[in-house]
Amino acid sequence: MEPQLLTHAYQGGMYALPPLPYPADALEPYLDEATLLLHHDKHHAAYVMGANDAAETLLRVAQGDLPPSVVPTATLNLAFNVSGHILHTLYWENLAPPPQHTPYGELSVALDATFSTYDGFIRVFRSAAMSIQGSGWAVLGLEPVSRRMVVCAVNKHQDALIPGFKPLLVCDVWEHAYYLRYQNRRAAYLDAFFALINWEVVASRFRSYCHGYA
Ligand SMILES: [Fe+2]
């Protein structure tokens, strides 16, 4: 399956909520239907709404309808909500029902260049995900200067990201992603996440918009 590459995340000049790429119960028993529905239909939808509200506010400032004093808050809101929208869209796409295979081909070569082995990648990614204090994301991506893979431990949706960084695989570790099924057991949620990674989508991202890296 080729990734949608965010094409459904912005339509008609507005940020838009893409549908889940599978039925809401497709990831059972690893991720439950109630969590997916709440996560997608309420939490992700709220980021889409917040992104549109912030963009509208900045447009109204530009048109003279609102004072410049609202710009600092609006830009922070835009960064938070657009980042949340992008990351959630990538998150739904990089999950799929098991069984999954491990990375192979050029994706595996690029992973090994940074992490030595697949197990090394899992060790780093899991540690980044466990290290988040409060709400955030673990993100595997390509760093544009070294052109190698790196893992970012992202606070909220947008803090501690590298400029020009290309996300390949994202893991939501906000509690809303797992609390209904796993309560405070983030490690158990991560076990489920690793079982659900759609490496075909990750490989497609690597090929499609990261050509020439690694
Ligand atoms: Fe989330």
Side-chain angles (χ1 to χ4, degrees):
M1 180 182 71
E2 291 298 312
Q4 297 175 1
L5 291 175
L6 304 175
T7 52
H8 298 294
Y10 193 78
Q11 298 181 44
M14 301 277 286
Y15 297 103
L17 181 67
L20 284 171
Y22 32 69
D25 63 354
L27 305 182
E28 294 270 12
Y30 299 92
L31 289 180
D32 56 293
E33 180 178 14
T35 293
L36 255 67
L37 288 174
L38 189 66
H39 196 175
H40 177 268
D41 295 357
K42 302 299 183 184
H43 291 278
H44 186 171
Y47 301 129
V48 173
M49 186 179 304
N52 283 317
D53 286 349
E56 172 70 13
T57 296
L58 291 168
L59 177 61
R60 292 182 64 192
V61 172
Q63 293 173 336
D65 295 336
L66 286 173
S69 59
V70 304
V71 167
T73 298
T75 56
L76 289 173
N77 287 341
L78 188 73
F80 175 81
N81 287 290
V82 172
S83 299
H85 179 31
I86 291 170
L87 288 170
H88 281 90
T89 302
L90 295 171
Y91 176 74
W92 305 127
E93 291 177 357
N94 66 216
L95 299 177
Q100 304 286 354
H101 56 73
T102 53
Y104 61 90
E106 61 181 359
L107 179 64
S108 178
V109 170
L111 279 167
D112 289 353
T114 293
F115 305 105
S116 295
T117 62
Y118 176 74
D119 288 344
F121 156 71
I122 294 292
R123 191 175 303 119
V124 172
F125 194 90
R126 175 187 286 278
S127 297
M130 290 299 294
S131 75
I132 298 291
Q133 295 178 318
S135 301
W137 296 75
V139 182
L140 169 72
L142 292 166
E143 183 271 290
V145 176
S146 69
R147 301 167 76 85
R148 291 165 69 99
M149 289 190 179
V150 298
V151 167
C152 290
V154 179
N155 295 312
K156 297 190 289 182
H157 300 311
Q158 75 283 22
D159 293 346
L161 271 173
I162 298 168
F165 179 80
K166 300 285 191 182
L168 297 169
L169 172 69
V170 306
C171 179
D172 191 344
V173 292
W174 286 57
E175 285 186 345
H176 66 226
Y178 60 89
Y179 208 83
L180 288 180
R181 171 62 56 92
Y182 296 102
Q183 290 81 50
N184 63 328
R185 293 175 289 120
R186 187 186 291 181
Y189 160 66
L190 292 175
D191 289 340
F193 175 83
F194 287 124
L196 296 171
I197 295 174
N198 188 337
W199 284 108
E200 293 290 353
V201 163
V202 177
S204 274
R205 289 173 184 164
F206 183 76
R207 287 193 302 268
S208 297
Y209 61 70
C210 306
H211 181 72
Y213 283 69

